[in-house]
Amino acid sequence: MTYSSQDITNALLRIKEDGFVLDNDAFGYAAIRWDVRRLRRDLREAGYAGAELAQGRMTNEGEEICWLYDPETVGKGKVDRLAAARHSALYGE
């Protein structure tokens, strides 16, 4: 496994509860944006058994945010809104 057990645990919890993990929840932007294959592998090794995780990203008030999501749990349009809302809540925007 490449990523920390804490990040893996946080990601698995977020995916289980919400269907997605935001870059601020675990791993950070660069890992989700540029190292998605390794993240998927590490999450599978840690027990994730759902659909292949898809990647989403957007610019929110000039800042790039990125996430992984289970497309069988949450659709793209919905996860885009949820990710933006979570990011805004974290940073008081």
Side-chain angles (χ1 to χ4, degrees):
M1 204 173 311
T2 305
Y3 290 93
S4 78
S5 61
Q6 185 63 49
D7 275 346
I8 294 291
T9 299
N10 288 345
L12 290 172
L13 179 64
R14 294 275 56 90
I15 293 166
K16 180 180 178 183
E17 290 182 357
D18 303 328
F20 75 102
V21 58
L22 187 64
D23 56 8
N24 294 99
D25 296 327
F27 310 120
Y29 174 82
I32 292 177
R33 176 68 174 100
W34 303 109
D35 203 17
V36 71
R37 287 184 192 150
R38 192 174 312 193
L39 287 174
R40 287 178 183 141
R41 184 199 66 215
D42 283 2
L43 289 165
R44 290 264 183 226
E45 288 176 3
Y48 174 72
E52 172 136 352
L53 295 169
Q55 182 187 60
R57 69 178 197 261
M58 69 188 312
T59 301
N60 187 32
E61 299 198 16
E63 182 179 359
E64 289 284 323
I65 59 174
C66 214
W67 55 89
L68 292 176
Y69 68 99
D70 177 347
E72 291 182 357
T73 301
V74 60
K76 181 167 178 5
K78 184 175 181 181
V79 76
D80 289 352
R81 290 188 303 277
L82 292 171
R86 183 179 296 158
H87 178 81
S88 292
L90 286 171
Y91 294 99
E93 298 172 348

